[in-house]
Amino acid sequence: MLAALGFCTIGGFLLLTMFKRVSVLVALVLTPVVAAVIGGYGDDLGPMALDGLSQVAPTGIMIAFAVLYFSLMIDAGLFEPLIRAILRVAKNDPLRVTVGTAVLTMCVGLDGDGSSTFLISISALLPVYRRLGMSRLVLAGVVALGAGVMNLIPWGGPTARAAAALKLETSDIITPLLPAFAAGIVWVLFASYAIGRRERARLGGLATPDPEPVAAVGDGPGTPRVAQRAGTALTVFNLLLTLALLTALVLEVMPLPVLFVLAFAVALLVNHPRWDDQQALLERHGNSVVLVTTMIFAAGVFTGILTGTGMIGKMAQAIVEVIPDGLGGHLPALVAVTSMPLSLVFTPDAYYFGILPVLAGTADSFGTDPAEVARAAVLGQMTTGFPLSPLTAATFILLGMSGVQLGEHQRFIFRWAFGTTLVMTAVAMATGAVPL
């Protein structure tokens, strides 16, 4: 009963959002509430939703101050040299810009955090897309591909979760997957090239950008209007502060929300020492913060109710029970292929800590090494699935800052993302990292 109700909840949510019957925020909140009431959990709705909100609160705080920080930096013109450099290298060619988007995203993605990768990449690149008249769907899709494949690095979320869930060393998971990782990078570059060619054809050849910085660089969250560019000394300070922030993020000097709170406070004081200017900046970008963070907290309600009612656990058991005994020996390959679509149904924590141990135990009974199941899981569940999943908070950073809808984003990039999983899985099988 609970498993069926859970699957109906997920399916209803996906249908409502993909066909634009209601907003994502409304669907995130109301579909689990209705399901919980039907399942007889109406009296426990408050504690379950509150628990979900507490789980995403650090992410929401980090996003709020990160959006404010990078919005301030864009106002100050910090990314203007990067934008001009990309335009010079791309020669105003949408194809080169698209490939450059993939390269820049994968470089930024070395910090291992999808949220910061989206924040930095979209903030830097959306003005370029606006100037060339390129589709924001292309930007969101290519950034999703680049961030997804880089999520496989040892300090990324998927590897850490899989290693913790199965009590493995990260090297047991990642080292055998290095050839597949390289193949995934090549695939992302190929996909961005193909998408860029199509975008070039749509625009009818080369676009002609404005020779000087335009007044507005975007109309979505995180894409504020450009103010007068700061002086050289202030620009150098902003650059050093941003580099220090990124270094601290990678080294995990402090919790991410604390780092962004401190960095924004320092940046605001130095760039806008007058109280009036500080208030004006907060008012100017407050709408961006609200649009992104409300989605994060709505997702917390969604996952809190599904977890609290036990729907996620029952769904995990139901999936395992339908696996025929004859497929037990091929379970790693099955996990690799299905993990990406399942990322649309399960949260990362639910998959790695709820489903993966059950799958690994099942595979172990057939003589399969649990590490092989872990490798298969990371190839799709977060490596290419997380930038499309409505259950991952980072997805809404990507969507909010690029200004695209969840359903449009999923329809546009799903086949390319799933292609990444298939290519990496094929190489992993060929090299023996994942058995057939």
Side-chain angles (χ1 to χ4, degrees):
M1 171 65 181
L2 277 178
L5 190 59
F7 284 120
C8 288
T9 303
I10 298 293
F13 168 78
L14 293 175
L15 288 174
L16 287 171
T17 54
M18 291 183 71
F19 290 99
K20 299 182 181 180
R21 306 304 299 178
V22 297
S23 70
V24 174
L25 189 148
V26 171
L28 280 170
V29 174
L30 294 187
T31 50
V33 168
V34 172
V37 171
I38 293 174
Y41 293 91
D43 294 339
D44 300 320
L45 272 176
M48 290 187 295
L50 187 60
D51 183 64
L53 286 170
S54 65
Q55 293 293 322
V56 301
T59 301
I61 295 169
M62 181 199 72
I63 291 168
F65 283 92
V67 169
L68 288 173
Y69 179 84
F70 287 110
S71 296
L72 187 157
M73 290 302 163
I74 291 177
D75 278 2
L78 178 63
F79 295 108
E80 193 65 31
L82 176 62
I83 295 168
R84 291 180 177 276
I86 293 175
L87 288 174
R88 282 197 302 269
V89 173
K91 296 181 180 178
N92 308 329
D93 184 356
L95 170 59
R96 296 188 182 187
V97 170
T98 307
V99 175
T101 299
V103 173
L104 179 62
T105 302
M106 288 188 285
C107 291
V108 174
L110 287 170
D111 69 353
D113 181 69
S115 300
S116 60
T117 299
F118 294 151
L119 286 165
I120 297 169
S121 300
I122 299 296
S123 295
L125 291 169
L126 185 54
V128 178
Y129 279 68
R130 289 283 297 172
R131 292 181 192 186
L132 298 180
M134 296 175 63
S135 171
R136 288 178 292 184
L137 277 173
V138 173
L139 172 60
V142 174
V143 168
L145 291 178
V149 74
M150 293 306 295
N151 216 20
L152 192 63
I153 56 180
W155 53 90
T159 307
R161 287 187 179 94
L166 301 184
K167 297 178 174 60
L168 300 169
E169 296 291 334
T170 56
S171 59
D172 296 334
I173 301 174
I174 294 303
T175 302
L177 287 177
L178 289 179
F181 180 50
I185 292 176
V186 173
W187 169 263
V188 169
L189 293 175
F190 166 76
S192 62
Y193 177 83
I195 294 171
R197 284 192 63 182
R198 186 172 59 186
E199 185 68 2
R200 176 202 277 172
R202 185 185 71 84
L203 294 174
L206 302 182
T208 302
D210 297 331
E212 297 296 331
V214 292
V217 298
D219 55 5
T223 58
R225 298 183 68 85
V226 173
Q228 184 176 359
R229 190 173 177 181
T232 302
L234 192 55
T235 299
V236 171
F237 171 82
N238 288 335
L239 177 60
L240 293 176
L241 178 63
T242 302
L243 292 176
L245 172 61
L246 296 178
T247 302
L249 291 173
V250 173
L251 298 178
E252 298 182 358
V253 175
M254 293 182 184
L256 267 62
V258 177
L259 287 173
F260 274 111
V261 170
L262 293 176
F264 174 68
V266 172
L268 183 62
L269 178 63
V270 173
N271 284 268
H272 301 285
R274 296 177 62 249
W275 182 87
D276 292 342
D277 293 337
Q278 294 175 2
Q279 290 299 112
L281 183 135
L282 292 173
E283 292 175 2
R284 185 162 63 250
H285 301 300
N287 183 56
S288 302
V289 175
V290 170
L291 288 174
V292 178
T293 55
T294 52
M295 207 71 70
I296 300 300
F297 290 117
V301 173
F302 188 90
T303 55
I305 293 176
L306 261 65
T307 302
T309 57
M311 292 183 199
I312 286 181
K314 292 297 182 181
M315 285 190 286
Q317 293 178 14
I319 289 175
V320 173
E321 289 172 359
V322 301
I323 298 176
D325 292 339
L327 291 177
H330 304 286
L331 193 57
L334 182 63
V335 169
V337 174
T338 60
S339 59
M340 190 268 178
L342 286 178
S343 67
L344 303 178
V345 181
F346 297 102
T347 64
D349 288 336
Y351 184 86
Y352 283 106
F353 297 114
I355 297 178
L356 185 58
V358 179
L359 293 174
T362 304
D364 186 56
S365 66
F366 290 95
T368 301
D369 187 351
E372 295 173 342
V373 179
R375 293 172 203 143
V378 300
L379 286 175
Q381 210 282 330
M382 281 290 281
T383 301
T384 56
F386 94 96
L388 287 82
S389 174
L391 306 181
T392 306
T395 301
F396 295 104
I397 302 176
L398 174 67
L399 299 177
M401 296 193 70
S402 58
V404 302
Q405 298 295 319
L406 175 63
E408 295 174 341
H409 173 63
Q410 289 175 330
R411 287 192 296 270
F412 179 80
I413 207 64
F414 180 88
R415 57 178 178 173
W416 293 108
F418 194 38
T420 309
T421 295
L422 295 179
V423 168
M424 295 176 69
T425 300
V427 174
M429 290 179 177
T431 57
V434 174
L436 284 170

